[in-house]
Amino acid sequence: MFEQITRGSRVKSPWLLHYDCSSCNGCDIEVIACLTPVYDIERFGIINVGNPLHADILLVTGAVNHRNRKVLENLYEQMPHPRVVIAIGSCALSGGVFREAYNVVGGVDKVIAVDVYVPGCAAKPEAIIDGVLLGLEKFKKLSNNWRGVGGIFREAETNES
Amino acid sequence: MRAETITPDQLVGACARMKAEGFRFVTMTCTAMDENSFELLYHFDKNLELSTLRLTTSKDSPVHSITAVYFAAFLVENEIQDLFGLRFPGLALDYNRTLYLDEEIRDAPFCKNAAAEKNTAAE
Amino acid sequence: MPVSTIPFGPQHPVLPEPIHLKLTVEDEVIKEVVPALGYVHRGLEKLAGTRDFHQMVQIVERVCGICSMMHAMCYCECVEAMMGIETPPRARYLRLIWSELNRLHSHLLWLGLFADSFGFESLFMQFWKIREKVMDLQEATAGNRVIVSVNVIGGLRRDLSPEQQQTILNILDRVEDEMRLLEKPLLGDYTVMKRTKGKGIVSAARALELGCVGPTLRGSGVAQDMRQLGYEAYGDLAFEPRVEKDGDCYSRLKVRYREVFQSIDLIRQAMEKIPAGEIAAVVKGRPEGEGLARVEQPRGEVFYYVKADGKKYLERIRIRTPTFANVPVLLAMLPGMCLSDVPVIVLSIDPCISCTER
């Protein structure tokens, strides 16, 4: 029962973690703009948190470089299962205009698995909200397929929706 | 662009003179001329006027750091160490070529003989 | 008292951007700070080898998404000066208008984030609500909320119609009214003063020595603003840099708050004087030689150095951004302060890490 409550409430009110890889700030400020009164993502029960251990959805902006890929992997590892990753902006999708630069590895999907791609340079807040809601759909499906023991979720037989 | 050409030995003295005259340190620019020689520009500002010191150096003859005079130069000198592979002896806060770059990229990317645009270690 | 080391960042709830500070603390007092950068370094300057000098405009816009328009403007000014291109007068006024809109949105963004850094969340929401009006203006006039891509070498690619100019003025009136309402909760509030007054003090002499720029320098009592250089149309307009004396976080807050009204005033002046005519000059040939340009961004002076040898690709482009110049002063501000003041002081220089590392 405890498991069901946890699962239900995580779906009802997912918590966001935002990490800026080498973004130009354009997408970051749009992510923050989503939290403010005009766009107000909190009406979907979504809260921005700073701790990866509390987060359900990871928002990543910007292209990955050699140094922050370690940080990104670390954050992703710390997040509890199931988790959804949303890549925001052209740079997070493919590296964008920076893909030829020497210190850029490429899009987020070169490092971790991405569930939703939100294009745009910079991605508009409407698009970001839309992407988060798409991610939420996936999160719902994943939640139903995960079975947890003692508060720790472990992978079920079919882990893909 | 006006620039006063100096030799590497005169650099620290020239910077100390600039500081005594009340110049604000703006930044440094490094340009690779060919495989081994580099041009360093030191930009200073006083009352909205820019003045520039220019000197030429090579990889084997390190230029002394000016952080003892202008502490603010530590970031840009570290940046040049990273990107051009030059060294600045006497650097106040030396990151030892780790300010920007991790071990994946060890060649100085801005040098003329730098390998391909994209480092192979990236994959 | 034992000394311990506390890492601050790179992923931190207050700062959306990744900067890592290694704080050495004794009890709660900071003894030493070592910044670690590199989480946003992409190697933009090197892209000059793969994009020609026209395409570089789009690259430099993405040095920083917050002051994108001013990066492109500074780069264009630099290349135009090298090629001896005279931009049409209308273009000079339009560039001023867009860059002041950019400054408005950046300052409002900062005011909000700064309020958030000491936990005043409702004020954060208020400022960002006002900011959305400016963002809408940018979208209506330039087609993109964040990356205001209007600059080309030689002038601009977009014009403002008389109706658009009127809309800008109308909306700015409302922005100004709402900003006046927020003066008391921001500057007159006991808690805000308690958190910001006397924190992170830098004297004028020290600020100059450490190479500070922009509001950080003006907050210490040095009246230096690159707009005094009179680039674009700034030379034609009445303009006085905003200066505060104390050199603490509160002064820097006041400088930026007052600059919001200054920007509105500059846009109004420009709208009155704007001449009719062409918006872009014809560009022939390729840049050659060396050029320097400086522009006042919301965070301070940005410096561009371009070296070209008459080829399609530029030989070297060097960008010194304002935060790059303001990081050394952090090392002087933080020691002696409490750990709880770190976010406030770090934000008081308005750090833009993606600018710093490019």
Side-chain angles (χ1 to χ4, degrees), chain A residues 65-70 98-106 110, chain B residues 83 98-105 109-110 117-118 121-123:
Chain A
N65 76 13
H66 290 293
R67 185 162 291 179
N68 64 31
R69 77 185 286 177
K70 289 152 206 156
F98 310 124
R99 68 186 175 281
E100 289 153 0
Y102 57 83
N103 204 26
V104 171
V105 178
K110 292 228 168 150
Chain B
L83 304 183
T98 57
L99 180 68
Y100 287 160
L101 303 178
D102 270 16
E103 59 274 15
E104 283 88 350
I105 297 180
F110 277 74
E117 290 293 300
K118 192 96 176 172
E123 302 319 317

Side-chain angles (χ1 to χ4, degrees), chain A residues 29 32-33 35-37, chain C residues 13-16 66 103-132 179 182 185-186 192 196 252-253 256-257 260 299 343-344 347-348 350:
Chain A
I29 57 177
I32 303 174
L35 305 169
T36 54
Chain C
V14 173
L15 291 169
I66 302 177
R103 190 185 318 277
L104 260 180
H105 109 73
S106 173
H107 275 354
L108 286 168
L109 171 136
W110 178 84
L111 285 166
L113 287 180
F114 191 63
D116 192 39
S117 77
F118 46 77
F120 202 156
E121 209 164 303
S122 58
L123 203 56
F124 163 62
M125 297 292 180
Q126 290 290 346
F127 278 119
W128 279 64
K129 200 178 93 194
I130 303 176
R131 178 176 168 271
E132 283 301 327
M179 281 300 289
L182 290 182
L186 181 70
V192 176
T196 54
R252 295 190 275 276
L253 170 66
R256 292 200 176 88
Y257 178 76
V260 169
R299 287 157 188 77
V344 178
L347 264 172
S348 78
D350 199 354

Side-chain angles (χ1 to χ4, degrees), chain A residues 93-160:
Chain A
L93 265 53
S94 65
V97 288
F98 310 124
R99 68 186 175 281
E100 289 153 0
Y102 57 83
N103 204 26
V104 171
V105 178
V108 175
D109 51 9
K110 292 228 168 150
V111 184
I112 54 176
V114 176
D115 299 292
V116 181
Y117 296 86
V118 180
C121 181
K124 291 185 68 170
E126 291 93 333
I128 296 173
I129 293 174
D130 201 33
V132 170
L133 293 182
L134 267 175
L136 204 53
E137 292 284 307
K138 179 136 187 201
F139 187 72
K140 230 178 254 176
K141 278 187 201 157
L142 283 177
S143 288
N144 294 335
N145 285 343
W146 287 90
R147 294 285 173 272
V149 179
I152 303 162
F153 286 92
R154 70 176 159 70
E155 215 166 329
E157 304 77 63
T158 52
N159 64 344
E160 269 311 306

Side-chain angles (χ1 to χ4, degrees), chain C residues 316-330:
Chain C
R316 174 91 170 101
I317 173 165
R318 159 99 179 110
I319 308 164
R320 199 296 316 263
T321 54
T323 309
F324 196 87
N326 280 334
V327 168
V329 81
L330 266 187

Side-chain angles (χ1 to χ4, degrees), chain C residues 38-317:
Chain C
Y39 296 100
V40 200
H41 181 64
R42 292 151 285 185
L44 261 168
E45 290 171 4
K46 186 76 183 166
L47 286 176
T50 52
R51 312 287 166 105
D52 74 30
F53 69 98
H54 289 292
Q55 291 169 332
M56 273 310 280
V57 178
Q58 271 72 49
I59 300 286
V60 296
E61 269 165 6
R62 283 156 182 82
V63 170
C64 167
I66 302 177
C67 29
S68 59
M69 192 270 161
M70 291 177 179
H71 272 292
M73 183 168 86
C74 190
Y75 169 76
C76 289
E77 266 178 31
C78 190
V79 175
E80 281 156 10
M82 285 163 76
M83 295 170 75
I85 298 169
E86 183 88 17
T87 45
R90 188 174 174 83
R92 299 196 296 128
Y93 275 87
L94 287 174
R95 276 185 181 173
L96 183 145
I97 291 167
W98 265 304
S99 66
E100 288 305 322
L101 278 178
N102 239 222
R103 190 185 318 277
L104 260 180
H105 109 73
S106 173
H107 275 354
L108 286 168
L109 171 136
W110 178 84
L111 285 166
L113 287 180
F114 191 63
D116 192 39
S117 77
F118 46 77
F120 202 156
E121 209 164 303
S122 58
L123 203 56
F124 163 62
M125 297 292 180
Q126 290 290 346
F127 278 119
W128 279 64
K129 200 178 93 194
I130 303 176
R131 178 176 168 271
E132 283 301 327
K133 292 199 174 71
V134 185
M135 301 305 276
D136 289 345
L137 277 182
Q138 289 191 358
E139 189 176 9
T141 54
N144 195 327
R145 280 165 52 90
V146 177
I147 310 275
V148 179
S149 187
V150 288
N151 284 290
V152 285
I153 290 167
L156 291 168
R157 61 165 104 219
R158 272 173 189 265
D159 202 348
L160 286 179
S161 68
E163 297 83 54
Q164 281 177 325
Q165 289 182 26
Q166 196 50 49
T167 323
I168 292 180
L169 288 176
N170 293 345
I171 290 183
L172 287 185
D173 286 345
R174 281 167 55 200
V175 169
E176 194 182 8
D177 291 344
E178 288 183 28
M179 281 300 289
R180 295 247 180 254
L181 287 178
L182 290 182
E183 180 167 357
K184 214 174 138 224
L186 181 70
L187 297 176
D189 190 87
Y190 174 77
T191 325
V192 176
M193 283 196 231
K194 197 90 185 150
R195 287 303 302 269
T196 54
K197 272 202 171 162
K199 309 283 182 198
I201 298 178
V202 210
S203 67
R206 191 97 177 101
L208 274 174
E209 187 193 327
L210 289 170
C212 289
V213 292
T216 316
L217 188 59
R218 292 196 286 280
S220 295
V222 183
Q224 201 185 52
D225 189 320
M226 288 308 129
R227 286 177 280 180
Q228 288 167 309
L229 287 170
Y231 61 87
E232 302 306 340
Y234 285 104
D236 307 347
L237 306 180
F239 165 77
E240 200 58 52
R242 297 282 184 263
V243 181
E244 294 291 333
K245 293 265 169 326
D246 298 339
D248 55 3
C249 290
Y250 188 70
S251 316
R252 295 190 275 276
L253 170 66
K254 245 168 137 176
V255 168
R256 292 200 176 88
Y257 178 76
R258 290 172 60 203
E259 281 187 1
V260 169
F261 297 104
Q262 184 185 38
S263 294
I264 297 177
D265 176 53
L266 280 169
I267 295 177
R268 285 192 188 132
Q269 286 187 46
M271 290 290 192
E272 267 170 32
K273 287 192 178 172
I274 188 166
E278 289 293 307
I279 55 163
V282 184
V283 180
K284 278 201 188 105
R286 284 170 183 163
E288 204 169 350
E290 289 174 300
L292 297 173
R294 290 189 292 168
V295 159
E296 182 76 18
Q297 281 189 342
R299 287 157 188 77
E301 161 207 49
V302 66
F303 169 97
Y304 268 72
Y305 166 86
V306 172
K307 188 176 183 186
D309 49 3
K311 292 201 188 104
K312 201 170 147 198
Y313 301 109
L314 300 173
E315 201 178 328
R316 174 91 170 101
I317 173 165

